[in-house]
Amino acid sequence: MQLRDDNLRRLDEKVFDVLIVGGGINGASAAAALSGKGVDVALIDRGDFAGGTSMHSSNLVWGGIKYMESGEFSLVRKLCKSRNHLLENYPSAVREIRFLTTIERGFRHHPLVPWLGTWLYWLMGSGFTRLPHYLRPAALKAREPVIETGNALGGFEYSDAYLHDNDARFVFNFVRSALDYGAVAANYVESLGAHREGDLWVVRVHDRIAGTTFDVRSRVLINAAGPWVDEHNQLTHQTTEHRHVFSKGIHLIVPRLTESRRILAFFDDDGRLFFVIPMGPRTCIGTTDTRVDSPEVEVTDEDVSFVLDNINKRLALTTPLNEQDVIATRCGVRPLAVKPNGGGDRDFLNLSRKHAIDVDESGRHLSIFGGKLTDCLNVGEEVVATVQRLGIEVAYPDYRWYGEPPASVRDAFLHRAHLMGLDELTDEQAIEPLSTRLWRRYGLKALDLLEAIHRDPRQGERLIEGADYLRCEFELIRRREMVTRLEDFLRRRSKVEQVVPRTMLRDSPGLEEACTILFGEEAQQRLAEYWSAERGEIEADSVRGKLPS
């Protein structure tokens, strides 16, 4: 909590160049870009960072192949370039993965049509990934025996990319980068609204942990509250060109369905893309696409039945999946940017996730609509250019604010880890060596973990059963990752809550020790809060909190 307390004090002490409201992917990438280029930035979030849409994605970093059917080729080209850029600059976190797509009888196109589309997609992506392949049903079955091919006409295999870890962790690393560049950031700080005083924005904020209220001042205000952008604009009396409509999507986490490290793609009963995605020791299946009027959503029995019915039809499982197989769920909304007269029912399913930035030049206010993980670097660069146009000095306009440390540093870390025999500590159920995982999560700071293990071998012990986190990681997380509630770690800094059954997690003796490291004297309070009967209310409040985010 020390990091958060220090940042809260700094929020009240100075006038910032830019205050960003919302710590999802748009706000986090904007904060990293601005601070990396020398702008004085503050970032607040009413809940935890990445606590809304950014923690409920499919973990895909893709060029938007589905937008080709609606003819949005310029968007696909832009997203493919963005995907390639992420693959180049985040080789540990963003990786190429094969998609194995099955086309069934009755689909709106013969399999050769979308297969030819994958070749165009590959060309639009500058041939950056492996070549597509057309597959007959027998070849589909040979590559992935779990696929039910009795009703298949054929299929194809092509490449895109995905996040090897989890989406919320990827987003938080942008927040951490912003902090490293000198930004001030704090979670669980709610914006109650803002007004202009001369050339400044005065934002009234509420610390939802301590219960205190104070003002934060900035020259520019950015509304990056994700699905709650429209609601926050009402608090600041902003009129914008765009607004949001919402599509609800859910995923179910179930036991691992296949040992292969590829994504299985189908078209569900409604003709929409449906995925089977590897998630560490588990499998993620979904998603749904349901229009809703509010960003506050939950998983319903109908949602679960829809996903299970679709997956059981398309996989040749020895025993069909049922509700008891569901380990965890993911449920959020896609905020889709539309003009005031857009987003009608007729066009809803074809709406893309492209972002839009509306600017109030005289008021020095930005509203970021839409967006997705793939487009995050573009959002950061566009925000910098806009803020500079509004008169804020950008001291280092050419500085590259994103990307992993140089390969030479990674190689030095891996060499030292090899000399220590670090990978011998890898859990037998893990899908990658321990050294690879630590580098992906912590970058340069992974060297601190090697030093901790060298001093005390107990620091290399796994602490929570079923989760690949070492004792030394919790100390680093306590110092650097602003974990305020236990859920912040279990659900967002990690995906422990998504892959470890609740009964196993509850019975893990290491969870209490982890809480002691993270929270000190507040450990029992935070543990009790997590397991309390009102936990559902706490979660709902946290997600709703993304308003000021």
Side-chain angles (χ1 to χ4, degrees):
M1 297 288 283
Q2 185 64 47
L3 176 60
R4 181 176 182 274
D5 292 343
D6 290 344
N7 277 264
L8 283 171
R9 284 192 291 270
R10 293 171 63 194
L11 280 174
D12 196 24
E13 291 175 352
K14 61 189 296 188
V15 174
F16 294 92
D17 290 332
V18 177
L19 172 64
I20 301 172
V21 177
I25 187 58
N26 289 338
S29 59
L34 288 165
S35 56
K37 292 177 181 286
V39 179
D40 198 4
V41 177
L43 170 69
I44 60 174
D45 193 305
R46 186 176 188 264
D48 187 30
F49 305 117
T53 295
S54 293
M55 74 171 186
H56 294 300
S57 78
S58 298
N59 274 21
L60 302 182
V61 178
W62 61 337
I65 190 171
K66 72 175 185 177
Y67 303 138
M68 293 181 64
E69 190 172 10
S70 56
E72 297 183 76
F73 297 115
S74 61
L75 175 62
V76 173
R77 171 62 176 162
K78 180 180 180 181
L79 290 176
C80 281
K81 291 172 67 176
S82 301
R83 177 204 64 194
N84 296 350
H85 207 38
L86 288 170
L87 281 165
E88 287 181 313
N89 288 281
Y90 292 94
S92 298
V94 182
R95 299 183 182 176
E96 180 177 346
I97 192 169
R98 298 297 273 178
F99 282 63
L100 189 61
T101 305
T102 302
I103 303 297
E104 298 176 312
R105 291 181 177 84
F107 184 63
R108 55 185 176 268
H109 300 297
H110 187 278
L112 287 172
V113 175
W115 172 66
L116 291 172
T118 63
W119 276 96
L120 178 58
Y121 186 62
W122 181 79
L123 290 169
M124 295 177 75
S126 303
F128 196 82
T129 59
R130 294 165 56 191
L131 291 171
H133 297 292
Y134 181 79
L135 300 169
R136 298 184 184 279
L140 284 170
K141 193 70 171 178
R143 295 200 183 199
E144 193 59 71
V146 76
I147 296 176
E148 173 55 63
T149 56
N151 194 42
L153 282 176
F156 47 88
E157 189 174 52
Y158 71 100
S159 285
D160 239 312
Y162 84 128
L163 292 172
H164 189 75
D165 214 319
N166 71 325
D167 45 8
R169 174 86 209 176
F170 185 72
V171 172
F172 176 77
N173 282 343
F174 282 111
V175 178
R176 185 59 253 182
S177 293
L179 290 167
D180 291 340
Y181 290 134
V184 175
N187 51 4
Y188 297 100
V189 175
E190 175 183 3
S191 166
L192 302 177
H195 65 277
R196 297 281 289 173
E197 285 187 3
D199 292 333
L200 298 180
W201 280 101
V202 180
V203 182
R204 192 68 173 167
V205 302
H206 174 63
D207 178 356
R208 298 180 63 230
I209 301 300
T212 57
T213 304
F214 57 96
D215 291 335
V216 181
R217 290 172 167 79
S218 68
R219 297 176 178 87
V220 173
L221 179 61
I222 298 179
N223 179 1
W228 290 269
V229 163
D230 298 293
E231 190 173 341
H232 193 267
N233 277 339
Q234 292 177 11
L235 297 178
T236 53
H237 308 291
Q238 288 291 311
T239 301
T240 57
E241 181 182 5
H242 292 84
R243 65 181 179 88
H244 276 145
V245 294
F246 306 113
S247 168
K248 170 185 163 184
I250 78 150
H251 299 82
L252 306 181
I253 313 302
V254 298
R256 186 183 295 175
L257 299 179
T258 172
E259 295 298 320
S260 69
R261 303 300 300 169
R262 60 163 62 95
I263 292 174
L264 308 184
F266 307 92
F267 289 88
D268 65 29
D269 291 347
D270 293 332
R272 305 167 197 168
L273 275 170
F274 189 87
F275 299 114
V276 175
I277 305 169
M279 181 181 275
R282 309 297 179 193
T283 295
C284 177
I285 54 176
T287 178
T288 58
D289 194 353
T290 308
R291 183 161 189 172
V292 293
D293 296 324
S294 167
E296 296 159 15
V297 293
E298 61 184 13
V299 178
T300 66
D301 292 341
E302 291 77 11
D303 294 328
V304 174
S305 294
F306 178 84
V307 173
L308 292 178
D309 288 347
N310 273 279
I311 202 62
N312 285 328
K313 289 178 184 176
R314 290 162 177 85
L315 296 184
L317 301 173
T318 303
T319 303
L321 292 173
N322 58 44
E323 290 82 356
Q324 285 68 47
D325 294 308
V326 178
I327 297 168
T329 62
R330 300 163 72 85
C331 178
V333 295
R334 307 169 186 89
L336 306 171
V338 299
K339 298 290 182 68
N341 61 346
D345 291 336
R346 182 174 60 86
D347 300 321
F348 175 72
L349 295 178
N350 290 324
L351 290 175
S352 71
R353 295 284 303 279
K354 63 185 177 182
H355 72 270
I357 301 178
D358 286 2
V359 183
D360 174 1
E361 301 269 353
S362 61
R364 286 179 156 186
H365 183 281
L366 281 69
S367 301
I368 307 177
F369 294 88
K372 58 189 299 179
L373 290 167
T374 310
D375 214 18
C376 62
L377 301 186
N378 291 328
V379 170
E381 293 289 353
E382 289 178 34
V383 167
V384 170
T386 304
V387 166
Q388 188 173 31
R389 192 175 75 242
L390 295 178
I392 301 300
E393 180 184 1
V394 178
Y396 307 100
D398 298 324
Y399 181 77
R400 192 175 72 104
W401 51 275
Y402 53 84
E404 296 180 8
S408 59
V409 179
R410 179 200 63 208
D411 292 344
F413 164 79
L414 293 175
H415 179 65
R416 183 175 174 187
H418 176 72
L419 294 176
M420 289 178 56
L422 181 69
D423 287 342
E424 296 174 10
L425 302 177
T426 304
D427 184 80
E428 60 181 13
Q429 301 298 319
I431 61 172
E432 63 181 346
L434 180 56
S435 57
T436 302
R437 177 175 62 76
L438 294 182
W439 174 258
R440 184 183 67 252
R441 284 181 182 163
Y442 308 108
L444 288 173
K445 288 299 175 180
L447 290 164
D448 294 351
L449 301 179
L450 295 185
E451 183 63 28
I453 296 170
H454 179 72
R455 290 196 311 266
D456 178 7
R458 289 184 68 252
Q459 296 298 316
E461 296 175 357
R462 189 176 62 159
L463 204 56
I464 300 175
E465 184 181 358
D468 54 355
Y469 276 79
L470 309 181
R471 183 175 278 107
C472 60
E473 290 181 74
F474 288 97
E475 178 60 32
L476 184 66
I477 291 167
R478 181 190 65 80
R479 295 197 315 268
R480 291 181 50 83
E481 300 195 359
M482 210 175 292
V483 170
T484 304
R485 289 174 167 168
L486 181 55
E487 183 197 352
D488 300 341
F489 167 72
L490 292 176
R491 178 63 182 85
R492 287 177 285 277
R493 307 299 182 273
S494 76
K495 57 176 182 282
V496 171
E497 187 186 85
Q498 294 279 286
V499 299
V500 179
R502 291 175 62 81
T503 52
M504 181 185 295
L505 192 60
R506 184 186 289 274
D507 294 339
S508 172
L511 182 60
E512 186 168 343
E513 182 179 349
C515 280
T516 300
I517 297 172
L518 292 173
F519 304 114
E521 295 179 354
E522 296 182 0
Q524 290 302 316
Q525 175 187 344
R526 295 304 176 196
L527 194 60
E529 174 188 74
Y530 183 77
W531 291 118
S532 69
E534 277 117 56
R535 184 170 168 240
E537 294 179 15
I538 293 171
E539 287 182 338
D541 185 48
S542 175
V543 172
R544 280 194 297 270
K546 290 305 293 174
L547 160 56
S549 308

